[in-house]
Amino acid sequence: MLRTLCGLAIIESQALIYNTSIAFRTNCIDGITINERVLAHYLETTVGIVTALNPVLGYEKADRTCRRSV
């Protein structure tokens, strides 16, 4: 009896996840477009890229590079 209830709970959970993922896609994701101008602005003005450059350039060189570009 307990296994049957657990099985039913799993099936119900899977159905909820499936239905929710479809609703999420149709209501939140479909129709999204890229605003390349805004992305370019973020790329040019965000200093967080320095974190990604640290392992390659080292902190001091990455910091100098960032200061020159801002």
Side-chain angles (χ1 to χ4, degrees):
M1 172 104 170
L2 184 59
R3 287 184 185 187
T4 304
L5 291 176
C6 289
L8 290 174
I10 290 171
I11 291 170
E12 184 177 348
S13 295
Q14 289 174 337
L16 286 170
I17 290 171
Y18 176 76
N19 291 331
T20 302
S21 65
I22 290 173
F24 179 75
R25 186 195 74 221
T26 56
N27 294 320
C28 299
I29 296 175
D30 288 351
I32 290 178
T33 57
I34 297 171
N35 188 332
E36 292 183 19
R37 186 175 57 86
V38 171
L39 290 177
H41 170 74
Y42 288 155
L43 182 64
E44 292 170 2
T45 59
T46 301
V47 295
I49 193 70
V50 175
T51 305
L53 294 174
N54 280 342
V56 178
L57 300 177
Y59 177 81
E60 291 180 16
K61 286 182 183 177
D63 183 55
R64 275 187 265 140
T65 302
C66 176
R67 288 175 192 267
R68 276 189 246 143
S69 66
V70 174

